[in-house]
């Protein structure tokens, strides 16, 4: 993954500076024609002022260090925020920060030495790990005669997970038809639910299986403190790919809010499990990242491409 980079400084005259340069040239021509030493003095003072102004602006911007604060993960289509920290051992000059997008231009006035943080709005994007836009830093410091500019390449991306939507989970629908808080067929008040691979064989209700052909297992109260993780399986959801991923995201968020264990299962990827013994917050972030990048093509820098983006609910 590329690192944050700053382009070389560029300097060009502003309209006011260009006008002042034209006036200075005219004064020099007049001083030569008339041999007026006072006009010579004023013209050379103006030249010195312009040179010193360019040098001060160049030095001020070259002394500014930048750090991109990674934006938080957000849902596809939602606007986000990116923050940039400017640090300088000297005074931070007035900076215009332009990300090349509408309504994302920030401005920070002249600040004392130390750090200054500004924030800009990011537009809604499709899911994936997408690069942050390049940022242009400009300053007219100190007199507005010159514009000193450099470009900042963040080198990091923005995580955008699928927008959560309700979806049809065939496995959960089947489970809801034959599970819940109900009395055991053998008179045991324990709860019954559909059989999951790995359930103890002694908990299987074979009498019910012999009558209906459906496997149920007892769920004693002693086991309620450590419930079996719910499997969020890509193959268990109906619809096109984007719809499935959005439905899986909604289910994952629901289980995370309820502090229930889960297993994320995506085709051609290892299962990701979150239980009481695991780092749930980290696993949750990893699961959202997997859902964000699933099936996405990547460029040579490691960022996701947009070529296969399909809005939720559309046919893929």
């Amino acid at each position: 993954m590329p690192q944050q980079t700053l382009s070389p400084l560029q300097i060009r005259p502003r309209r006011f500076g260009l006008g002042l340069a034209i006036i200075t040239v005219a004064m020099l021509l007049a001083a030569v024609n008339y041999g007026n030493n006072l006009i010579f003095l004023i013209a050379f003072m103006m030249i010195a002022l312009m040179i010193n102004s360019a040098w001060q602006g160049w030095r001020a911007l070259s002394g500014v260090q930048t750090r991109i604060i990674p934006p938080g993960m957000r849902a596809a289509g939602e606007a986000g925020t990116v923050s940039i920290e400017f640090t300088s051992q000297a005074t931070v000059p007035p900076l215009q920060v332009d990300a090349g997008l509408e309504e994302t231009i920030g401005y920070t006035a002249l600040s004392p030495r130390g750090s200054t943080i500004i924030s800009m709005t990011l537009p809604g994007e499709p899911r994936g790990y997408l690069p942050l836009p390049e940022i242009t830093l400009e300053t007219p410091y100190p007199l507005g005669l010159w514009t000193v500019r450099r470009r900042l390449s963040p080198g990091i991306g923005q995580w955008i997970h699928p927008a959560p939507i309700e979806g049809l989970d065939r496995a959960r629908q089947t489970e809801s038809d034959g599970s819940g808080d109900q009395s055991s067929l053998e008179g045991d008040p324990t709860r019954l639910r559909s059989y999951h691979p790995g359930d103890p064989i002694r908990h299987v209700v074979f009498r019910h299986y012999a009558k209906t052909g459906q496997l149920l297992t007892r769920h004693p109260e002693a086991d309620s403190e450590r419930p079996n993780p719910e499997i969020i399986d890509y193959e268990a959801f109906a619809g096109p790919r984007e719809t499935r991923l959005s439905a899986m995201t909604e289910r994952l968020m629901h289980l995370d809010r309820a502090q229930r264990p889960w297993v994320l299962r995506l085709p051609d990827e290892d299962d990701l499990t979150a239980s009481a013994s695991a780092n749930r917050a980290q696993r949750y972030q990893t699961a959202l990242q997997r859902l964000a990048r699933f099936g996405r093509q990547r460029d040579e820098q490691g960022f996701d491409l947009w070529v296969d983006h399909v809005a939720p609910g559309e046919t893929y």
Side-chain angles (χ1 to χ4, degrees), residues 97-251:
V97 185
D98 185 3
L101 301 170
E102 294 184 0
E103 300 180 355
T104 60
I105 297 178
Y107 182 82
T108 175
L110 190 69
S111 305
R113 67 178 62 190
S115 63
T116 300
I117 298 178
I118 68 167
S119 297
M120 295 187 300
T121 301
L122 296 171
E125 304 283 6
R127 68 175 179 89
Y129 183 63
L130 308 179
L132 290 173
E134 286 195 347
I135 299 169
T136 301
L137 309 178
E138 292 185 355
T139 181
Y141 182 80
L143 300 176
L145 301 178
W146 305 89
T147 294
V148 186
R149 173 187 299 171
R150 77 188 321 175
R151 296 187 66 83
L152 168 65
S153 180
I156 60 174
Q158 47 186 325
W159 283 105
I160 304 174
H161 62 73
I165 62 174
E166 289 286 345
L168 177 61
D169 184 346
R170 292 187 291 263
R172 290 185 60 217
Q173 186 182 42
T174 301
E175 177 180 337
S176 63
D177 293 339
S179 64
D181 293 326
Q182 51 183 299
S183 298
S184 169
L185 299 180
E186 298 178 353
D188 189 348
T190 56
R191 184 167 62 90
L192 300 179
R193 62 165 173 77
S194 298
Y195 174 80
H196 292 302
D199 286 346
I201 195 66
R202 65 179 183 276
H203 290 171
V204 177
V205 184
F206 289 102
R207 181 180 300 177
H208 182 73
Y209 175 74
K211 294 180 179 180
T212 65
Q214 181 184 10
L215 281 175
L216 294 181
T217 57
R218 299 187 186 90
H219 191 57
E221 293 183 2
D223 294 342
S224 61
E225 299 178 358
R226 294 186 299 173
N228 292 326
E230 180 172 325
I231 300 177
I232 309 173
D233 191 352
Y234 177 86
E235 300 297 339
F237 287 82
R241 181 169 73 180
E242 296 301 320
T243 301
R244 294 189 188 194
L245 294 176
S246 294
M248 293 174 69
T249 302
E250 189 278 333
R251 188 58 190 163

Side-chain angles (χ1 to χ4, degrees), residues 57-117:
W58 184 284
R59 187 178 67 172
L61 187 55
S62 63
V64 175
Q65 298 178 348
T66 60
R67 183 176 70 89
I68 303 293
I69 300 176
M73 185 179 294
R74 66 184 191 276
E78 291 185 0
T81 302
V82 60
S83 298
I84 310 173
E85 181 183 26
F86 301 101
T87 307
S88 177
Q89 297 299 324
T91 301
V92 179
L95 292 175
Q96 178 174 294
V97 185
D98 185 3
L101 301 170
E102 294 184 0
E103 300 180 355
T104 60
I105 297 178
Y107 182 82
T108 175
L110 190 69
S111 305
R113 67 178 62 190
S115 63
T116 300
I117 298 178

Side-chain angles (χ1 to χ4, degrees), residues 24 26 97 103 175 259 262 292 294 296 302:
T24 302
V97 185
E103 300 180 355
E175 177 180 337
Q259 295 295 304
W262 46 263
F294 177 71
R296 305 288 277 173

